[in-house]
Amino acid sequence: LIVNPVDMAISVGTDTEDANYVYVVNADGTMAVFNTLRSQSVAGWTSWSTEGEVLNITRLVDDIYLSVKRTINSVTEYYVEKLNDGAYMDSSKVYATPATDTLTGLDHLDGEQCRVRADGAVMQNRTPVAGSITIERTAADSAEVGLFFRPTITTMPVEKDIGPGYNLNSEKRVVNAMAYLQDTLGIIINGETIPFRNFGTMVLDQPVEPYTGKKEIYLLGWSKTATVTITQDDPAPMTVLALSLEMEFS
């Protein structure tokens, strides 16, 4: 994940977030991010990318800032952006209690199709003109407008223990996957969308409440790797605490 690194920053745990992060900016505009918390035996690398190129990174007190090169409406732009754990999009603007259907201050995204969230629900895509859009929700109390990124989690290939070693060449399949979620909406497992509510008279025109608990899905198909991929098609909260798999080997 580290390819020709050009910059680096470190984020140390705080009273509210005890994990530590190491951010390594690559020359190709991607980042490799190391998450570590020794007390809980957490240590893992993740690849970060965006619709553009990350050029530099720095830490200022408890905040992480990036310089990013983007192509907006066919024009090359350079932005300074701050990491925000409460945002679900890139280069986004977050609104608190605007109580309006007109969102302004989007000049940096003029001419670029954006994703929109309002009151916890995903709205229709909008393209800012003169820094403004009008959404279909007449009086949104909270909103976010920005560029979509697709989070993706893929498991490592499953190995079959044959005693003195492992057999990676045997056919195998995942019978079912059990995902343990916290405050999550709109996930897709191996291409199958996971439902988070049932139809009823009291659910229409209401945002779906984030879900905490277990979601189980049965899967088909044999392969030599038998991996499971979790992703999203909409900007929504997603926290996967654990994933357990039931396997079948040939």
Side-chain angles (χ1 to χ4, degrees):
L1 299 182
I2 301 177
V3 183
N4 298 324
V6 295
D7 205 359
M8 187 176 74
I10 296 175
S11 177
V12 182
T14 64
D15 292 339
T16 57
E17 172 58 61
D18 52 3
N20 305 288
Y21 296 90
V22 179
Y23 306 90
V24 180
V25 177
N26 293 318
D28 62 0
T30 64
M31 282 203 308
V33 180
F34 182 61
N35 177 6
T36 176
L37 184 59
R38 295 184 63 182
S39 63
Q40 297 183 18
S41 301
V42 172
W45 286 92
T46 304
S47 176
W48 284 19
S49 60
T50 186
E51 194 173 312
E53 300 176 32
V54 178
L55 304 178
N56 299 99
I57 188 169
T58 190
R59 177 190 174 196
L60 181 60
V61 190
D62 291 330
D63 294 324
I64 297 293
Y65 290 88
L66 309 171
S67 62
V68 184
K69 176 184 177 182
R70 300 190 184 277
T71 301
I72 304 297
N73 196 23
S74 302
V75 178
T76 299
E77 304 281 2
Y78 294 87
Y79 298 142
V80 175
E81 302 178 3
K82 184 176 75 170
L83 293 188
N84 181 358
D85 290 339
Y88 300 101
M89 297 168 237
D90 281 344
S91 197
S92 67
K93 184 173 177 63
V94 179
Y95 302 83
T97 62
T100 179
D101 61 352
T102 301
L103 305 177
T104 59
L106 297 166
D107 305 78
H108 68 293
L109 295 173
D110 272 353
E112 194 76 9
Q113 188 178 80
C114 298
R115 302 299 301 271
V116 182
R117 281 174 55 90
D119 292 340
V122 177
M123 303 284 105
Q124 296 179 16
N125 294 353
R126 290 288 188 268
T127 300
V129 176
S132 176
I133 64 170
T134 300
I135 62 176
E136 62 269 32
R137 201 171 189 90
T138 55
D141 290 323
S142 62
E144 181 185 359
V145 182
L147 306 175
F148 179 61
F149 66 89
R150 179 170 282 102
T152 303
I153 302 170
T154 301
T155 62
M156 296 292 289
V158 177
E159 301 173 345
K160 182 179 181 181
D161 189 354
I162 56 175
Y166 292 92
N167 182 10
L168 296 177
N169 198 43
S170 64
E171 292 285 333
K172 56 190 77 75
R173 77 180 183 97
V174 180
V175 178
N176 73 63
M178 180 81 76
Y180 298 80
L181 309 173
Q182 178 180 337
D183 297 332
T184 296
L185 282 177
I187 68 168
I188 299 171
I189 300 179
N190 278 22
E192 298 290 331
T193 300
I194 305 301
F196 283 89
R197 69 176 175 182
N198 299 319
F199 282 111
T201 58
M202 302 301 294
V203 300
L204 299 181
D205 199 32
Q206 298 292 330
V208 183
E209 291 295 327
Y211 175 83
T212 297
K214 298 181 291 185
K215 287 289 185 179
E216 184 177 19
I217 182 172
Y218 287 85
L219 303 172
L220 300 174
W222 292 79
S223 71
K224 295 183 184 299
T225 56
T227 59
V228 171
T229 297
I230 301 176
T231 186
Q232 287 179 311
D233 280 343
D234 292 313
M238 183 178 77
T239 300
V240 181
L241 301 176
L243 183 67
S244 62
L245 308 178
E246 180 183 338
M247 302 296 303
E248 183 177 354
F249 295 89
S250 62

